[in-house]
Amino acid sequence: MSTFDEVIAADRRIEPRDDMPEAYRATMIRQIAQHAHSEIIGMQPEGIWITRAPSLRRKAILLAKVQDEAGHGLYLYSAAETLGVDRTDLTERLISGKQKYSSIFNYPTLSFADVGVIGWLVDGAAICNQVPLCRSSYGPYARAMIRVCKEESFHQRQGYELLLTMMRGTDAQRAMVQDAVDRWWWPSLMMFGPPDDDSPNTARSMAWKIKRHTNDELRQRFVDMSVPQAEVLGVTLPDPELRWNAERGEHDFGTPDWAELRRVIEGDGPCNAERVENRRWAHEDGAWVRDAAAAHARKKELAA
Amino acid sequence: MTNPTYAWPLYEVFVRGKRGLNHVHVGSLHAPDDESALHSARDVYTRRNEGVSIWVVRSVHVTASSRPRRTRSSHPAATRCTGTPRSTPSRRRTHI
């Protein structure tokens, strides 16, 4: 027999039937549910462009991507359920505002270039965040993340390829890309969460191995990764303080507007109300389908 | 019951890949009946044509070898199939 602490110390996985501190269970439920909610809410900003995609090829790619996000949400709700919660309950906690989702999805998608920039920057930031989570100490979450990360890297490449194509187009198309980069760069940096000195749970999460790097470490990694990609693309990242620091071997960069991040997390972002309202509508409007399917299954069972 | 999704049973999903010799467990899902479970499994687990064949089976019908628990757990989640048949004794360090 080994205790929770020994399993963590040996860098092995905690499985659903193992003993775990209640705080660990509660934290994992919150972390996995928030991630699942982000995938489901994340379908909206890009989903609205499916019917307006500029070609059949772009439409097929975008449709597949949004379907992937639905799939990721489902893998993650399954992982959360291994901790003894029910997904209907989680959905209700999302639409009642008791549980959060990633702040990034509360920003609007104003042009088709946003689809590309979300793939490049938002999915790129998500990959930075999520690759280390494939080694999360909670087994079902780590395994779900392996699958999610595999598909997420497709998304990032399709976004970047879309932007490369637009940058080879007209001046107007290049301006659309730059405008989208200007709007999404800072919110993407905020995806890593508050700075380390304002992130009270980081130490405990690192000790439990459900977080492998600090917010600032991941943010730095993302900036260093994105700068050369922006150069190849021919866009300017909207940060006058961004420059290579040879001494550190990393880029220096400006400070995101943390007050804005707090506002968006607390519900006061540009699209918070709309995102949650859409989710509520889909859940309530779909209730009759779920009821009918259950009734059909019961009828068949009785007939058998 | 006003909560029909909750009443949908849990299914385990197994997929045989194009070059795979046997079906491999890929995850779980809720569905009202076997046929819907198969449809959902196709949507959720084979979006990139990974599989040539899918099996779905209600989780309650899976009999699993009991692996030694790390201390006793009385949590309700501990008493049901968790959708993780990979956590069988062979992958465990049973001597601990």
Side-chain angles (χ1 to χ4, degrees):
Chain A
M1 289 289 179
S2 57
T3 65
F4 174 84
D5 290 334
E6 285 164 352
V7 174
I8 298 290
D11 215 355
R12 295 201 313 271
R13 302 283 169 265
I14 299 294
E15 295 298 336
R17 290 153 59 104
D18 295 338
D19 256 2
M20 58 187 96
E22 272 314 302
Y24 177 89
R25 181 185 298 279
T27 303
M28 282 320 300
I29 290 172
R30 194 173 56 238
Q31 185 182 3
I32 302 173
Q34 269 184 24
H35 190 170
H37 296 332
S38 300
E39 298 284 356
I40 297 300
I41 294 286
M43 295 166 74
Q44 293 183 36
E46 290 178 281
I48 59 160
W49 283 98
I50 292 173
T51 56
R52 294 179 282 170
S55 68
L56 185 59
R57 177 167 172 267
R58 293 291 170 197
K59 182 181 281 198
I61 292 172
L62 187 54
L63 190 59
K65 185 189 164 180
V66 174
Q67 279 180 336
D68 275 354
E69 280 158 5
H72 296 174
L74 296 179
Y75 309 152
L76 291 161
Y77 283 127
S78 284
E81 284 184 319
T82 64
L83 289 158
V85 287
D86 166 60
R87 79 179 65 189
T88 307
D89 184 45
L90 296 179
T91 297
E92 273 153 20
R93 283 196 237 175
L94 166 67
I95 57 190
S96 64
K98 288 192 195 108
Q99 279 178 342
K100 311 266 185 218
Y101 54 88
S102 175
S103 57
I104 194 77
F105 300 116
N106 291 313
Y107 291 87
T109 41
L110 304 182
S111 82
F112 198 72
D114 289 39
V115 171
V117 170
I118 287 177
W120 173 40
L121 295 179
V122 175
D123 294 330
I127 290 169
C128 280
N129 260 332
Q130 291 170 6
V131 166
L133 295 178
C134 297
R135 294 186 297 121
S136 166
S137 63
Y138 189 58
Y141 188 45
R143 289 190 286 272
M145 290 315 301
I146 291 170
R147 186 179 284 272
V148 169
C149 284
K150 218 183 275 175
E151 297 180 353
E152 211 68 54
S153 70
F154 276 108
H155 297 176
Q156 203 212 3
R157 276 177 283 161
Q158 68 80 27
Y160 196 69
E161 188 267 342
L162 193 164
L163 297 177
L164 278 173
T165 307
M166 286 188 81
M167 292 303 285
R168 284 196 300 265
T170 64
D171 284 346
Q173 285 175 305
R174 276 186 286 276
M176 278 166 73
V177 174
Q178 184 61 56
D179 171 62
V181 170
D182 290 346
R183 285 181 289 108
W184 288 94
W185 174 250
W186 290 107
S188 299
L189 291 189
M190 294 176 199
M191 284 175 70
F192 298 95
D196 291 350
D197 53 20
D198 185 28
S199 178
N201 297 325
T202 290
R204 192 176 70 172
S205 295
M206 303 265 287
W208 278 341
K209 298 183 180 170
I210 56 176
K211 186 169 182 164
R212 294 289 187 161
H213 306 280
T214 71
N215 297 351
D216 286 336
E217 283 166 13
L218 292 168
R219 197 168 3 251
Q220 179 72 55
R221 190 178 293 180
F222 174 69
V223 170
D224 292 332
M225 184 180 97
S226 301
V227 168
Q229 293 172 351
E231 274 165 26
V232 171
L233 210 50
V235 294
T236 308
L237 297 173
D239 179 358
E241 293 174 53
L242 182 66
R243 64 181 58 85
W244 177 250
N245 182 327
E247 211 170 293
R248 289 202 305 130
E250 294 171 329
H251 291 85
D252 291 335
F253 57 99
T255 307
D257 181 350
W258 299 125
E260 176 182 323
L261 176 63
R262 268 194 303 276
R263 274 200 309 278
V264 176
I265 289 175
E266 278 157 20
D268 198 19
C271 303
N272 295 54
E274 180 189 331
R275 300 293 188 233
V276 173
E277 197 39 48
N278 280 341
R279 184 68 194 92
R280 175 194 302 280
W281 172 81
H283 183 61
E284 289 171 1
D285 197 54
W288 73 269
V289 180
R290 298 191 294 275
D291 287 341
H296 180 68
R298 258 197 312 274
K299 209 169 90 183
K300 270 204 310 197
E301 223 169 77
L302 287 175
Chain B
M1 183 143 205
T2 53
N3 200 343
T5 315
Y6 188 78
W8 287 6
L10 189 66
Y11 281 82
E12 300 302 324
V13 181
F14 300 81
V15 172
R16 181 158 66 81
K18 270 180 212 138
R19 280 185 300 245
L21 292 174
N22 43 275
H23 287 73
V24 173
H25 181 254
V26 291
S28 57
L29 50 81
H30 289 274
D33 56 35
D34 297 355
E35 212 185 322
S36 316
L38 202 55
H39 283 299
S40 300
R42 200 170 292 152
D43 289 343
V44 180
Y45 292 106
T46 63
R47 288 193 305 284
R48 292 198 167 77
N49 300 318
E50 295 96 332
V52 291
S53 168
I54 304 173
W55 289 346
V56 290
V57 60
R58 283 199 189 185
S59 308
V60 293
H61 294 153
V62 175
T63 308
S65 59
S66 63
R67 62 183 184 81
R69 278 188 213 162
R70 286 160 180 155
T71 73
R72 299 176 69 80
S73 172
S74 57
H75 194 276
T79 58
R80 54 177 208 216
C81 176
T82 57
T84 52
R86 277 166 288 190
S87 51
T88 51
S90 59
R91 271 179 56 97
R92 293 277 135 195
R93 279 155 229 209
T94 46
H95 58 276
I96 290 169

